[in-house]
Amino acid sequence: MGRPLGLNHVDAVRLEEVLATDFAEYRRRRLPFWMDPTPAPAPEGIEPWPHDPGPPFEQWPGLAPQMPAAFADPKPEEAAASLLAWFIETGQFGLDECRLVLVPARRGSDALASIGWSAEAPLPLLCALLRSWEDRFGAQVVAVFGSELHVSVARPPVDAEHANLLALEHVLSTADNIVDDPPTPFPEYAMDLVGRACWSFWWD
């Protein structure tokens, strides 16, 4: 934990504008790799990384639409409790060693700013994304562990088109587990978000 980040810094983030600019720069840098299907050299006996064709967008497509709540969907707090219980039971990600923290925040998506979470993540942008995911998908911050962030999701996307849009938002969060560690092909990462009730991110 570090110095708390004033919520005015999060309020100042114009999410659509920032992500549109970030996507243009991200696409400019990665396009040569997406266009070249030749595997990168790998040591003998090591499988080369699979080719990543990148997102199926030439321009910023906008935020993924909100998932409407269905009668059978859990409430956000129920989804968070279920995920936390699973973490505790299985000891996933070392979270069996974590402690509860009471954070003075009006909404869970502001908790990271309020505690001054110290990681390599761009905190104002990340908190703005978490606010938006909270509104659109019933997402809740469940745990942070070192530079890892784990989020429960009450209303995940249910089709590939919706998941593609959301996956691009995940990529633009700059999380290393999505972009580079390991380099998961974008279509594979996006499809894995369909129906997924837990999103995990980490920064090196």
Side-chain angles (χ1 to χ4, degrees), residues 10-70:
V10 183
D11 296 338
V13 176
R14 300 293 176 259
L15 196 54
E16 285 270 17
E17 296 175 17
V18 171
L19 293 181
T21 300
D22 288 354
F23 175 61
E25 174 58 20
Y26 175 72
R27 188 174 189 275
R28 184 192 66 78
R29 287 188 290 105
R30 304 290 289 200
L31 189 59
F33 300 99
W34 298 338
M35 298 293 289
D36 184 3
T38 306
E44 186 176 349
I46 301 297
E47 284 288 327
W49 285 333
H51 172 63
D52 182 6
F57 310 111
E58 294 185 3
Q59 296 180 330
W60 168 244
L63 296 173
Q66 176 173 331
M67 275 299 296

Side-chain angles (χ1 to χ4, degrees), residues 131-156:
R131 283 180 175 181
S132 186
W133 294 339
E134 183 178 319
D135 294 338
R136 288 180 287 143
F137 300 100
Q140 294 284 310
V141 174
V142 169
V144 291
F145 185 75
S147 60
E148 300 176 14
L149 166 66
H150 303 281
V151 178
S152 64
V153 189
R155 305 185 304 275

